[in-house]
Amino acid sequence: MPTKTNAKSSKRQSKKVGHRDEDATVVTIDQTRKAVGADLYAAWYPVGERPTVGVSASREGVNLLGALTEYGETTVLACGGSFTGEVTIRFLEHLQAEFGEKLVVLLDQATYFTAGAVKDFAADEPIELVYFPTGSPDLNPTEEY
């Protein structure tokens, strides 16, 4: 008896994995948060005493998603609020507008990158998602920027 599969599932299975499309651009992506409102100042401290600097408990900052292509091109997208699967999808759309429709995207296994909605979006587009092994930020060249 034949089993039912949804269109997205069968589309995901029909994508080539590990066989890069010649026209696809390879892009690595990563996220970061940058605090805003930090005050820099200089001070004198007695010789032999360890200087202490007060730290603000402020949570003000900006979330950024950044990308680096195999050709050294970069792009950044500022995100209002938390990183989510929806934000990741918006970033993938941004990458397609910047670097072309066909992409091979290398990324870590953060929950907002591995969300079902993100995988479904990629399955419907000429995008191949390749996840780095857990705990291996040294494999992602975007970490350097």
Side-chain angles (χ1 to χ4, degrees):
M1 178 156 113
T3 59
K4 283 182 141 180
T5 59
N6 69 33
K8 288 181 181 174
S9 171
S10 63
K11 198 173 215 181
R12 200 179 285 162
Q13 291 171 355
S14 68
K15 284 186 126 176
K16 289 184 178 178
V17 177
H19 296 83
R20 179 178 163 203
D21 186 325
E22 297 275 334
D23 299 331
T25 301
V26 176
V27 183
T28 61
I29 67 173
D30 203 13
Q31 76 293 339
T32 190
R33 176 172 173 76
K34 296 297 179 189
V36 294
D39 296 321
L40 299 178
Y41 56 90
W44 292 95
Y45 294 92
V47 173
E49 288 188 27
R50 184 182 180 123
T52 58
V53 178
V55 177
S56 169
S58 170
R59 293 184 157 269
E60 291 185 40
V62 61
N63 291 332
L64 302 168
L65 284 166
L68 173 67
T69 71
E70 62 191 306
Y71 306 110
E73 301 165 298
T74 60
T75 189
V76 174
L77 181 68
C79 312
S82 300
F83 294 115
T84 63
E86 290 77 27
V87 170
T88 300
I89 291 168
R90 189 176 61 156
F91 190 52
L92 292 173
E93 291 170 334
H94 172 74
L95 294 177
Q96 286 182 304
E98 284 284 314
F99 305 123
E101 290 288 311
K102 295 180 180 180
L103 300 173
V104 176
V105 182
L106 291 85
L107 59 172
D108 63 35
Q109 295 188 40
T111 56
Y112 40 84
F113 289 156
T114 60
V118 173
K119 292 178 180 180
D120 289 344
F121 174 80
D124 290 339
E125 297 288 327
I127 296 175
E128 181 181 348
L129 301 176
V130 180
Y131 293 95
F132 291 115
T134 303
S136 55
D138 53 320
L139 295 178
N140 190 344
T142 310
E143 293 281 348
E144 303 290 323
Y145 285 88

